[in-house]
Amino acid sequence: MFKEVADIKTADQLHLPVPEAKFETVVVQPSEIQKEMVADLSERAAAVHGGSVDPSVDNMLKITSDGRKIGLDQRLMNPLLPDDPNSKLNACVQNVLRIWEEGQADKLTQLLFCDLSTPKGDGTFNVYEDIRDKLVAAGVPREEIAFIHDADTEAKKKELFGKVRTGEVRVLLGSTQKMGAGTNVQDRLVAVHHLDVGWRPADMTQRNGRIIRQGKDGTRYEASETPFETAGAPPDAGSLHVPHHRQTGV
């Protein structure tokens, strides 16, 4: 009924006045440990499909979840494993650090999206604190880095967003749910980094909408959107295409 009376237009049809963004996908090679883990996932999947394992013991949901963890950082499967210097997490850290240094004069800001391994505050390994600690060790002042999860009230969010807009906080990490819709911090924003990819079309639209939006002065600051992938690590490999296919039906 709604489609019979409504004229639906998507953003690409409306040609809204938004800044052009530079899109660059960074693909890193998996470590030998990750390759072994991916091979194990294949064996587990074959066992599940063959019916030789009880669903309460292992199933495709668990396998998919483990695949996402492996693609993000092997330490999510075992925190005692070594930190791979060539991981996509470390590639992201280097990218953020470079942009932070280049934007010192104008206090340019960046967003990092990651739905997995959010900070729990219980001392367990998570990528949020790992990224922050590495940036601080490289010279970024700790007070310029923030987690959206620490702003647990509307008043705290308003204060945090204000600090990002003025450049007092220059690196903000968060999940799609907490840092998607309603996050208006575009004033000095030059880069959005994706350490993982949401499966729903709206997830990536909301993420990129933090920088590719009306009211963003693209002539002053270049907009950059960078997803990071681990080659051959399901569901990392090709995951960027899934939300697009679901949205367009292609």
Side-chain angles (χ1 to χ4, degrees):
M1 179 67 72
F2 176 74
K3 290 184 178 180
E4 292 179 1
V5 298
D7 183 17
I8 301 174
K9 297 290 186 180
T10 58
D12 59 325
Q13 295 173 315
L14 293 174
H15 304 293
L16 298 172
V18 297
E20 292 187 11
K22 173 187 175 183
F23 291 91
E24 177 188 10
T25 301
V26 175
V27 181
V28 302
Q29 295 305 307
S31 67
E32 291 302 318
I33 294 176
Q34 285 174 311
K35 290 179 181 178
E36 293 175 3
M37 288 180 170
V38 170
D40 181 62
L41 292 182
S42 298
E43 294 177 4
R44 288 169 57 189
V48 168
H49 287 304
S52 61
V53 59
D54 189 284
S56 64
V57 176
D58 202 7
N59 53 64
M60 289 308 299
L61 183 60
K62 289 183 178 180
I63 294 171
T64 301
S65 177
D66 286 347
R68 295 185 69 196
K69 292 177 182 177
I70 293 169
L72 180 56
D73 194 287
Q74 61 193 28
R75 291 171 294 172
L76 292 177
M77 297 297 290
N78 182 350
L80 298 179
L81 288 174
D83 179 10
D84 177 17
N86 299 313
S87 70
K88 73 173 183 179
L89 189 150
N90 285 315
C92 181
V93 168
Q94 292 304 312
N95 207 27
V96 171
L97 183 60
R98 174 183 58 79
I99 296 172
W100 176 83
E101 292 174 338
E102 293 174 352
Q104 283 274 44
D106 293 321
K107 295 184 177 181
L108 303 185
T109 61
Q110 307 175 63
L111 299 182
L112 276 74
F113 279 99
C114 187
D115 292 345
L116 287 177
S117 190
T118 54
K120 300 294 189 296
D122 57 4
T124 58
F125 171 80
N126 64 82
V127 300
Y128 279 65
E129 292 176 349
D130 190 67
I131 290 172
R132 180 191 61 195
D133 292 346
K134 287 172 178 174
L135 290 174
V136 171
V140 180
R142 188 184 180 95
E143 61 271 17
E144 291 189 9
I145 306 169
F147 302 159
I148 189 67
H149 302 75
D150 292 335
D152 52 6
T153 67
E154 289 303 316
K156 290 181 180 179
K157 281 186 179 180
K158 183 178 180 180
E159 180 183 4
L160 175 58
F161 293 166
K163 289 181 178 180
V164 177
R165 286 194 293 268
T166 60
E168 185 177 344
V169 169
R170 297 185 54 203
V171 180
L172 179 60
L173 295 85
S175 61
T176 309
Q177 181 180 6
K178 292 183 177 292
M179 203 167 67
T183 302
N184 299 315
V185 294
Q186 66 269 17
D187 299 49
R188 299 173 185 268
L189 192 58
V190 290
V192 172
H193 311 273
H194 304 284
L195 277 169
D196 55 16
V197 175
W199 288 102
R200 299 175 304 173
D203 290 344
M204 298 308 292
T205 300
Q206 286 299 331
R207 287 184 178 195
N208 293 332
R210 299 315 96 213
I211 191 169
I212 307 172
R213 60 187 296 139
Q214 291 178 278
K216 167 67 179 172
D217 186 358
T219 61
R220 185 179 180 191
Y221 306 131
E222 180 181 358
S224 173
E225 187 260 342
T226 308
F228 292 80
E229 291 186 17
T230 302
D236 238 25
S239 60
L240 287 171
H241 303 291
V242 175
H244 173 72
H245 292 338
R246 288 179 176 174
Q247 187 174 37
T248 61
V250 177

